[in-house]
Amino acid sequence: MKILMVCLGNICRSPLAHGILKQKVKDKQLNWIVESAGTGDWHIGEAPDRRAIAIAKKYGVDISGQRARHFQPAFFNEYDLIFVMDRQNFADVCAQAENKDDLEKVQLFLDDDIVPDPYFDDNLFDPVFQMIDKRCTEVIAEVSPSS
Ligand code: 4NP
């Protein structure tokens, strides 16, 4: 199973989802690959936002080694599932799909809700961590029987 987490900048939400799921996958000894990317290109090559690094560290997850990547259409072939954090991410990723198979890989990470963007609100990093952490546990339970 290859899973891609996508947000706008790939420095706040998707690095948290990437790091948290990767850790849970390791704990469960699942043979999954988890990575992340952003629909925007401003932060390519940068480490995650220092506030994202700090909240992850507070809960025992090290995301400091990640580097931001820009979403590429080629990723549709590379990944089995592409989780997006909000509806704009959903629209931006789906707009790059070439066929129905590509589109079927794209899902809102929280099913019918969005992960709010914490970039302009320091107080959102903790609740965003919690909602991503809870959903990562569910994703493991939902996806692992078939992988
Ligand atoms: P992210 O947050 O999409 O969760 O990584 C953002 C990071 C950077 C910007 C916006 C959102 N930005 O405008 O640079």
Side-chain angles (χ1 to χ4, degrees):
M1 179 61 53
K2 287 192 77 172
I3 295 183
L4 183 70
M5 300 293 188
V6 175
C7 64
L8 177 59
N10 194 209
I11 56 169
C12 296
R13 293 165 292 176
S14 59
L16 286 170
H18 171 176
I20 294 167
L21 186 61
K22 196 170 170 177
Q23 181 143 324
K24 289 184 192 294
V25 158
K26 189 171 170 225
D27 291 347
K28 292 261 179 193
Q29 298 181 309
L30 294 167
N31 190 24
W32 295 6
I33 288 170
V34 183
E35 287 166 341
S36 61
T39 56
D41 62 3
W42 315 284
H43 299 286
I44 294 172
E46 291 179 19
D49 186 285
R50 58 180 168 74
R51 297 164 297 175
I53 293 175
I55 203 70
K57 189 175 176 194
K58 177 177 168 189
Y59 295 108
V61 181
D62 181 8
I63 63 167
S64 64
Q66 292 184 29
R67 294 297 177 263
R69 299 188 306 160
H70 190 204
F71 182 83
Q72 306 292 316
F75 290 175
F76 283 111
N77 286 330
E78 224 178 284
Y79 297 94
D80 303 304
L81 273 175
I82 299 173
F83 282 122
V84 294
M85 300 296 135
D86 65 31
R87 293 191 167 85
Q88 187 62 53
N89 307 151
F90 188 86
D92 290 341
V93 169
C94 288
Q96 299 178 63
E98 280 186 355
N99 53 49
K100 194 163 157 277
D101 284 353
D102 289 354
L103 281 176
E104 281 173 355
K105 294 182 177 184
V106 189
Q107 289 181 30
L108 264 186
F109 179 60
L110 293 187
D111 262 339
D112 56 1
D113 205 352
I114 61 150
V115 180
D117 190 345
Y119 189 64
F120 295 107
D121 186 350
D122 294 354
N123 293 323
L124 275 179
F125 279 87
D126 205 304
V128 158
F129 182 97
Q130 301 305 335
M131 66 179 80
I132 291 175
D133 185 61
K134 180 167 173 276
R135 179 65 185 135
C136 282
T137 301
E138 293 170 5
V139 166
I140 297 237
E142 283 171 17
V143 180
S144 52
S146 61
S147 62

